Amino acid sequence: MTETAPPPASLRDHRGRHRVAVTGIGLVTPLGLGVAESWAALLAGRSGIRRITRFPTAHLKTTIAGQVTLPEGATGEVLTSPARVERMAGLAAAEAIAAAGLAGEERFPGPLCLGMPPVEVEWPHRIALARQALDREPGPLRYPALAAAATGQEALFEQCLFGGVGERLAARFGTTGAPVEITTACATGASAIQLGVEAIQRGEAPAALCIGAEGSVQPEALIRFSLLSALSTRNEEPERASRPFEKNREGFVMSEGAAALVLESLEGAMARGATVLGLVLGCGERADSFHRTRSNPDGGAIIGAMRAAIADAGLEPAAIDYVNAHGTGTPENDKMETLGMRAVFGEACPPISSNKSMIGHTLSAAGAIEAVFSLLAIRDGMLPPTINHETPDPAIPLDVVPNEARPAAVRHVLSNSFGFGGQNVCLVLGAAPQA
Amino acid sequence: MTESIWITGIGLVSSLGEGPEIHRAALAGRAPVVDAEGFAPYPIHPLPPLELDRQIPKRGDQRQMEPWQRLGTYAAGLAIDQAGARALVADMHLLVAAGGGERDTALDEAVCAEIARLPAEEAGQRLNAMLASGLRPTLFLAQLSNLLAGNISIVHGVTGSSRTFMGEEAAAADAVRIAAARLAEGRGGIALVGGAYVAGRWDMLLLYAASGELRQGGWAPLAERAEGGGLVTGSAAAFLVLETENHARARGAAGLARLGAVRSGAARRQGEDSAEASAAALAQSLPLRPGHAVISGASGAALPTAAERRFLAGLRAAGPAPGQVVHSADLIGHAVEAAFPANLALAALALAAGDAPQALVTGFGVWRGEALALLEPVA
């Protein structure tokens, strides 16, 4: 019996787990298709928020959003949320897999961890069914008639199942095992990464394809968020509507997009000679039991999640060079995030900026998109700005990297994600190990 | 660092009623509770009457939810109670398998009735107007999938972490698998995992009607449902408190069953990549013993139900003879996200009562997803 030598210490973290490398990233945002286009626009401080053109906006309180122009968008095809989520997730995943040098492989060597919004039969489907029902039998249009019209429309069934999007992506990219779909509201993208990190850390898989995707910019979703008074109504100035951490902020701007990350054990990535873009060093999570849409005023769950992520990474708060904020631009979130920053970092808070000032709130995709931006900040030594910072809020004594990107040496980033339903997930991302 | 995982609490509600006794007794066979008229032509297994105040004491909390979230929150409380774990909720991890919450079906019908008769160019604006004036603010949160978990956090104080898995039956299997794996590797000592499903919902019946698999007309036992169109959905919620053996022993908690392997897969269900082959691969090296009970999650949907039958026949031919085989669809119907946790709960009840030496739980999703779990008695 031969003894296997233990792997070099640097391949394991301070808790003896596999270290997790990011070897490929992909992005779809309102600023562009692909990592390069989105990142360049973000560093330039450009806003991706526009007037909504994809559907009529009469009777809507908010008529602006971040919108992704899909390559096929020009054909005028009505794409419902599940279809848009799938297209954007697919574009981001293809870019990430190619960047990781794994394109052309028949199988992806790990599971799919997909963060996405809940999907359902939507209005375009429902109205089409209603018209079919009328054609069959003029009369009262009730649900039984819609169900009768739907009977046997397997394509509709498969499109609107929660498992449908993941299954089709898993089939396309050849991921192993059952695809896992997760939703933790606005923390979804971070949760998807956390699932992949954990699978690699426990040695369940050598790699994971983690995606956060969102495609819910449609009338009913806008109206629902408006009813919660969550959205900015600065419709006349779309580019200036998303104002995280600024005194005149009044709500978030709905948006959409996707990010994909190829995660691998550092050991596996180095063994195959892959380029390591950075590391996912730690994850922290904490649920809040206070209220469905608000955090406990003591900030306990937010603070707990931030601290847990930093501790999971084996770091002290002082080692964090930059925080990629949740920063939605709602009065409530930004106040609570500031409280969390002060509690965790004390007087010496690192710079914090919100990508949402430019791309809006991509909801289920946000945690993943922001993790990618965090890795790029480390790679390029550039902090993306928080734009629309005109009047500082005296209650927010933070360096929010106002309006212009800034060079900085960054080794460790804390990326925050907080969601409705008391969901708080934080990630710590780090630089690739020196060769 | 691999710890043994116990089930120390079960919260089980179905059309039969709530609690362990009624469900354990049902394992010996009984007539199901069926509502064939309320959602005709589709028979369903309805929600039982629940004294919501017992688990959701604040009326304000109840008003913020629709039946699906109330059902799940109620069952989660039953599980915490049975585990005697009320004092442990702050660090308890929460994993929920969820579908979507209830739509306002009356509004949907009113919108459809009007807009289906409008020319397409007028439809969009009129849709916005009707939704803007018709949608109720509270319904948004009642509809959000992760707000079942959110309500469990609020009502019962479960705050260790919160993850909501989506993907119908498979979501529940992965929630249980991941909950157990995290505990086994030392990420916490106790977790609450489960799901809920309300069958009497036209929005869900519309979706499942599209599959072509919903049974129409009267109820019949699984074995007598003709090929195709054999799915009868059932209202049910099942939550399990999972705990490492060390954590349970340290606080003097009794184990109802030990959770052995939990495995999930997803065949494309085309050609050789069949559901049956997927399950057979999952079953490899499972330490089955003679007389093991089988709690079958066959749904009644044609293809996966036939595949499950062949899988079990293959298992019987190649391995030790099973004991009792229970088709939960015959007792409580198919409860989608709640199906796998409910079947685990039934298996644990059988083991805790000494009715079986071991129990194999199967899960075959209506469209996708195969899962197996093996439960052992607590030594």
Side-chain angles (χ1 to χ4, degrees):
Chain A
M1 196 169 158
T2 51
E3 289 271 317
T4 338
S10 64
L11 298 177
R12 299 278 174 155
D13 73 5
H14 66 114
R15 288 181 174 160
R17 307 172 298 198
H18 285 283
R19 299 185 86 185
V20 177
V22 182
T23 57
I25 51 176
L27 277 180
V28 174
T29 76
L31 291 173
L33 302 180
V35 169
E37 201 179 335
S38 293
W39 179 234
L42 199 81
L43 288 183
R46 247 177 53 208
S47 170
I49 310 304
R50 301 281 180 270
R51 285 198 178 79
I52 293 168
T53 50
R54 207 160 61 223
F55 48 84
T57 56
H59 310 288
L60 303 183
K61 279 189 186 157
T62 291
T63 58
I64 56 174
Q67 297 159 91
V68 169
T69 309
L70 287 167
E72 57 271 63
T75 64
E77 183 190 355
V78 177
L79 290 176
T80 53
S81 300
R84 290 185 68 79
V85 165
E86 188 175 333
R87 307 265 175 118
M88 289 188 273
L91 285 170
E95 184 183 20
I97 289 170
L102 293 169
E105 306 283 328
E106 203 167 302
R107 310 281 301 173
F108 180 89
L112 171 65
C113 304
L114 173 63
M116 58 175 260
V119 294
E120 61 178 359
V121 173
E122 290 189 12
W123 282 111
H125 308 127
R126 224 174 272 120
I127 291 166
L129 290 172
R131 293 190 204 279
Q132 290 161 23
L134 273 186
D135 286 345
R136 290 156 55 114
E137 192 180 353
L141 254 180
R142 308 290 301 274
Y143 256 100
L146 298 178
T151 298
Q153 295 195 22
E154 287 175 40
L156 174 68
F157 178 63
E158 293 178 9
Q159 186 188 119
C160 297
L161 280 176
F162 278 18
V165 175
E167 159 62 20
R168 285 183 291 277
L169 291 170
R172 175 173 163 192
F173 296 109
T175 52
T176 59
V180 180
E181 295 94 19
I182 191 159
T183 177
T184 54
C186 308
T188 298
S191 293
I193 292 170
Q194 190 182 18
L195 282 174
V197 167
E198 287 181 358
I200 292 167
Q201 284 177 336
R202 75 168 73 102
E204 197 174 286
L209 176 60
C210 300
I211 305 176
E214 181 61 69
S216 302
V217 178
Q218 37 104 322
E220 184 172 318
L222 276 162
I223 291 168
R224 288 178 179 280
F225 276 119
S226 287
L227 288 168
L228 294 177
S229 306
L231 299 182
S232 167
T233 53
R234 202 183 273 253
N235 295 320
E236 299 314 308
E237 301 177 290
E239 296 83 2
R240 297 177 67 207
S242 184
R243 313 173 74 80
F245 302 119
E246 200 254 6
K247 190 159 193 301
N248 300 312
R249 68 189 186 275
E250 51 157 29
F252 71 82
V253 177
M254 261 188 94
S255 186
E256 60 185 3
L261 296 89
V262 173
L263 306 184
E264 299 181 60
S265 70
L266 182 60
E267 190 174 355
M270 289 173 69
R272 74 176 183 92
T275 304
V276 174
L277 190 66
L279 303 174
V280 186
L281 296 172
C283 309
E285 61 192 328
R286 198 78 206 170
D288 200 331
S289 61
F290 181 70
H291 187 270
R292 287 162 189 83
T293 59
R294 282 186 286 128
S295 306
N296 189 320
D298 72 7
I302 286 175
I303 296 164
M306 291 167 73
R307 285 190 175 140
I310 296 168
D312 194 51
L315 297 174
E316 294 295 325
I320 301 295
D321 303 306
Y322 162 66
V323 177
N324 192 293
H326 188 55
T328 58
T330 63
E332 167 81 9
N333 175 82
D334 298 358
K335 188 181 77 183
M336 293 310 300
E337 194 161 8
T338 303
L339 178 71
M341 287 290 289
R342 303 289 288 190
V344 172
F345 296 106
E347 294 297 312
C349 287
I352 177 171
S353 68
S354 172
N355 310 152
K356 294 185 179 80
S357 62
M358 290 166 279
I359 63 168
H361 192 349
T362 56
L363 303 168
S364 299
I369 288 177
E370 287 158 16
V372 167
F373 284 145
S374 299
L375 289 161
L376 294 168
I378 295 169
R379 184 194 71 181
D380 293 353
M382 287 297 288
L383 305 183
T386 305
I387 67 164
N388 296 321
H389 197 78
E390 291 170 293
T391 313
D393 182 343
I396 299 182
L398 296 172
D399 171 7
V400 300
V401 194
N403 300 321
E404 283 182 25
R406 183 199 303 164
V410 184
R411 283 198 62 77
H412 302 122
V413 178
L414 176 69
S415 179
N416 288 340
S417 296
F418 312 132
F420 281 175
Q423 315 255 261
N424 303 288
V425 182
C426 299
L427 305 175
V428 174
L429 302 130
Q434 306 290 334
Chain B
M1 210 164 84
T2 299
E3 296 223 39
S4 162
I5 306 299
W6 283 6
I7 297 171
T8 57
I10 291 172
L12 181 57
V13 177
S14 76
S15 49
L16 302 179
E18 68 175 77
E21 290 78 18
I22 198 165
H23 287 103
R24 192 210 145 202
L27 290 172
R30 61 159 285 177
V33 178
V34 179
D35 174 3
E37 285 82 40
F39 295 86
Y42 313 110
I44 59 137
H45 301 272
L47 266 177
L50 298 174
E51 281 181 58
L52 290 174
D53 293 357
R54 285 176 44 220
Q55 288 295 342
I56 313 174
K58 288 186 192 163
R59 288 298 167 97
D61 284 336
Q62 292 182 24
R63 278 196 299 272
Q64 293 282 329
M65 305 182 223
E66 295 286 324
W68 167 66
Q69 290 178 356
R70 286 189 209 120
L71 172 64
T73 304
Y74 185 90
L78 294 180
I80 297 168
D81 279 343
Q82 194 191 12
R86 286 279 165 195
L88 304 172
V89 290
D91 291 319
M92 186 182 281
H93 295 287
L94 175 60
L95 299 93
V96 174
E102 285 86 350
R103 291 191 59 81
D104 182 340
T105 51
L107 178 64
D108 285 351
E109 289 176 338
V111 171
C112 282
E114 182 167 335
I115 289 183
R117 294 174 170 93
L118 287 182
E121 61 274 16
E122 290 171 36
Q125 291 204 14
R126 187 65 194 135
L127 175 68
N128 291 357
M130 292 189 80
L131 293 178
S133 62
L135 286 170
R136 281 173 284 138
T138 49
L139 204 63
F140 180 46
L141 296 172
Q143 243 208 315
L144 270 187
S145 298
N146 75 302
L147 260 287
L148 170 51
N151 279 296
I152 291 170
S153 292
I154 290 167
V155 173
H156 302 303
V158 179
T159 54
S161 64
S162 173
R163 298 180 182 184
T164 296
F165 294 82
M166 303 185 292
E168 290 75 36
E169 299 87 349
D174 283 316
V176 175
R177 178 178 64 79
I178 289 168
R182 295 185 86 239
L183 293 179
E185 64 179 332
R187 294 187 198 252
I190 187 165
L192 177 65
V193 58
Y197 190 78
V198 172
R201 285 176 53 182
W202 273 113
D203 46 8
M204 293 313 298
L205 289 168
L206 169 65
L207 177 64
Y208 278 93
S211 76
E213 296 288 352
L214 278 186
R215 182 176 174 84
Q216 301 190 21
W219 182 89
L222 205 58
E224 295 169 23
R225 294 179 201 170
E227 287 292 297
L231 175 64
V232 180
T233 55
S235 300
F239 276 82
L240 309 171
V241 173
L242 302 184
E243 211 167 338
T244 63
E245 180 178 341
N246 287 335
H247 189 276
R249 284 189 187 280
R251 69 182 186 95
L256 299 164
R258 190 168 68 76
L259 185 60
V262 184
R263 299 173 182 173
S264 65
R268 301 274 108 80
R269 299 188 177 176
Q270 284 173 352
E272 288 180 5
D273 192 6
S274 67
E276 175 186 347
S278 166
L282 299 178
Q284 272 181 16
S285 76
L286 276 184
L288 289 172
R289 295 190 297 276
H292 63 270
V294 176
I295 309 293
S296 156
S299 63
L303 187 149
T305 300
E308 202 242 14
R309 200 178 305 128
R310 289 193 299 271
F311 159 71
L312 288 177
L315 208 57
R316 202 175 299 124
Q324 191 190 12
V325 179
V326 174
H327 291 284
S328 63
D330 279 342
L331 298 173
I332 63 173
H334 182 62
V336 193
E337 289 91 3
F340 195 70
N343 292 333
L344 285 174
L346 292 173
L349 291 174
L351 290 179
D355 294 345
Q358 195 185 30
L360 176 69
V361 174
T362 72
F364 279 67
V366 169
W367 184 57
R368 285 289 188 274
E370 298 80 33
L372 296 177
L374 190 61
L375 270 67
E376 303 278 357
V378 168

